[in-house]
Amino acid sequence: MHIKDYWDRIDHTTQKWLIDNPGCQILPRTITAVICKETGDTDEADQHGEAVLSQEDRDFIRARANDHRPYEYRFFDSTQP
């Protein structure tokens, strides 16, 4: 599966699931079915309907997850004695 190539075709709910679960190595059959339906690529599922993510896919999803994390602003008050 080439998540990076299909990212724009995948619906927002599935993208959010992938971003919320960046360490997932095997996609559940429900997520695999949605991705296969939207991309037209049906060869990726195994006999149980699951798909194994390549290292490239996992790296891409982790990068997207890091991009979507809110930046926490920290303000420091310093005072001189």
Side-chain angles (χ1 to χ4, degrees):
M1 193 163 278
H2 302 284
I3 298 294
K4 183 177 184 178
D5 298 337
Y6 297 137
W7 188 256
D8 294 331
R9 294 185 193 174
I10 299 172
D11 69 60
H12 180 69
T13 306
T14 306
Q15 287 179 355
K16 177 148 177 41
W17 188 92
L18 291 168
I19 289 170
D20 290 343
N21 299 282
C24 185
Q25 294 184 10
I26 299 175
L27 293 179
R29 65 178 172 221
T30 52
I31 300 297
T32 302
V34 169
I35 292 172
C36 287
K37 178 182 166 194
E38 292 175 351
T39 62
D41 192 7
T42 58
D43 296 334
E44 298 298 329
D46 65 7
Q47 64 187 15
H48 302 290
E50 300 170 334
V52 177
L53 291 176
S54 67
Q55 184 64 43
E56 180 183 349
D57 288 336
R58 291 189 306 248
D59 292 342
F60 174 77
I61 292 168
R62 281 190 194 108
R64 296 298 277 193
N66 289 335
D67 290 345
H68 283 75
R69 296 206 198 291
Y71 183 76
E72 182 179 323
Y73 292 99
R74 294 184 181 192
F75 296 98
F76 297 98
D77 259 343
S78 61
T79 57
Q80 299 285 330

